Amino acid sequence: MPIARSRAGPRSTGVRVLVKRSLLRPLSALALLCTLAAAPVPAPSPSASGDRAAPSLRAGSADGPSVVPPAPEWTPPLSTRGRYVVDAEGDRFKLKSGNWHGASGTWTGSGSPDDPANNHAGEKSDRMPLGLDRAPMSEIVAGFRELGLNSVRLPFSNEMVHDTRPVADASVAANPALKGMTPLQVYDAAVGALTDAGFAVILNNHTNTTRWCCGVDGNERWNASQSAGTWENDWLVMVRRYRDNPRVVGADLYNEVRRSVLDDPNWGLGDRHDWFAASQRLGDRILQEANPDLLVIVEGINWTGIPVDGLPHERPTLEPVQRLSHTLVRSGKLVYSAHFYDYTGPNHSGATGLGETSDPRYRDFGRSELHDVLRRQAFYVAAQTGRHFTAPVWISEFGIGGRQETGAEQRAWFDHFVDFLVETDADFAYWPLVGWHEDRKGNGWALLHWDSAGRRAGLFDGDDWRAEPWKRLVGAPGRTGPVAPVDRWSMLSPDHGDFVQSLRMRALPDWDPGARKAACPDDQRLVGLSHSGNRGLCSDAGARGLGASGGAHEIVRDERHVEPGRDWASGYTKLQCPPRYFLAGYSVRGAAVSTALCVEAGGVPGTAGRTVWFDRSDNRPSASGGGDFAHGHYKGQCAGDEYAAGIAYTGRPGSSRSPDALLCRALR
């Protein structure tokens, strides 16, 4: 259960604010207030931000840009090619993002939420993006452009989605057109203002309840204070709500999944705390039922174990992905994300006092050691190409105090971290963008601050030490322009149930009732199987578009398609596809293979074949793509210029009827 000092920095009194994450006072689930209407609510025009004269927007100084940079040109929707996010033209779209928080809540969980003293850093968001009482929305959005951003992560809570209470007039004093609206309608207005200004918007389900994250607070998991069904249905409502706005580009499924009082989240155990399974299921539902164009963003596990020296505890982040990765029903839509702050560590919760251990924090590492840790915990996902787990990695939260942060270790960590983001050309999102200040004191973590009179203190106003590393980050050279299509490699993992990633097969009746079924996405073919463990490997390498448009499929249960005189696995049972068909899936009962899914190929694939045995050792081509798709198990894999056309197994005593061999045939 990660505990940490405040991300917001000191109050104006100079006293450090209470921790962001707390083990104290777990929050009981709040009742959902109403059933959300299915129809989207039109977003008010961002130009109707109020009749108050807007204070002058400082465009920069000697330390920053002299003019607000123009909106970059890009064409939605976004997708991925290997480690890069690309737009509809195939051009790299580097996520240079920030977090505009508030709609997920700032109340700390005790006392009246209307008292600023009971809100994080004294900032009362009133269940909507922060700052709307102090500055017109258009001014806030223009400030994001000044910072050099092209995208915004916009947190929300499930409670906010259902909240029908109008926001207080005082909470939108600088935006009177928003008076009388619900928090969700204000969120609509923020989405509209951002996308009208050319930003890409990523929706982020930050919390269940509208209160400050994180700790043992009722928001530890997607289903901590609500059912998994509610979580999924709320997401479908939100995605459909903005489906007609193409600049809403992503769904960041849940924030900082972590331990509750009694239980850890896990990655692949198949129970109700399985974050891999929950995110896999919801990602597929979003792409199949709500919006096929969105990026699906999955954050690693933030914390497991009890933070006490001598007891197991760690921050897994994205380390489990190398052994179990997502395969969505639409290829090219998966992004992984991770969070890093100086006060946390690979085994440090971030706490001071209760929950603090002797483990090093990230700020305790030197530059090279920090970079090694970052690679191990997250960045290997993007750095290793041609693997089943290869995907963009978006650091969707990182940040540090500004004017009042004098700690040498903290400042050094930020410099080293920015250096690493520049070195790896990484996608990022700073936390947070907007804060309050009085006399230039307050939430020192934000990059833009407004006081109660609407006066702004910005990053480039000349007295914020972060301006230099920030300019280095947003102005760093990196990959731009067209990104060539890459071979896709995907894991099939029917470990605890069906793993059918083919939309065509999902639309058809169950082809093997009672068995666990696995099928590749429709644009890929099966190229590898494990001898035990039921894992499979899919790819489009060497044959993009192999499947015939509208082609047939066949479920093979016997040897009827084995040609006379061509017994490629003598003494073994063979599930072989008919001529001009390729393997796209399989089903299992326990460890035993029960059927092969064969799909008609377009064109005329080759018929010459060879047997690949993997019952006693791995049998994979040297330098083959995909990586280790079944850690700890023997694996067989066809070459990049082949397709799999059959599975062989034995039913002799002592055998589990698990796969022993593949029939691999030349693509041409």
Side-chain angles (χ1 to χ4, degrees), residues 151 156 366 391 401 651:
S151 45
F156 69 88

Side-chain angles (χ1 to χ4, degrees), residues 126-128 160 163 165 167 181-187:
D126 292 301
R127 318 180 312 281
M128 58 188 177
M160 184 216 75
D163 193 342
R165 295 171 293 170
V167 299
M181 291 187 177
T182 66
L184 182 54
Q185 290 170 330
V186 174
Y187 190 92

Side-chain angles (χ1 to χ4, degrees), residues 579-619:
R580 298 182 58 179
Y581 280 64
F582 61 90
L583 275 172
Y586 54 96
S587 61
V588 294
R589 296 174 183 271
V593 180
S594 55
T595 67
L597 168 63
C598 300
V599 174
E600 185 181 9
V604 183
T607 57
R610 66 187 181 100
T611 304
V612 173
W613 293 96
F614 52 96
D615 55 331
R616 298 180 184 180
S617 64
D618 275 6
N619 191 349

Side-chain angles (χ1 to χ4, degrees), residues 43-47 71 141 145 189-201 245 247:
S45 169
S47 62
V141 172
R145 179 69 64 215
V191 169
L194 290 165
T195 56
D196 285 353
F199 287 95
V201 170
N245 186 337
R247 291 186 184 270

Side-chain angles (χ1 to χ4, degrees), residues 551-569:
H553 74 278
E554 182 175 336
I555 307 302
V556 176
R557 295 179 169 84
D558 53 36
E559 296 190 342
R560 69 183 64 191
H561 296 300
V562 178
E563 301 96 330
R566 293 191 176 184
D567 188 346
W568 52 275

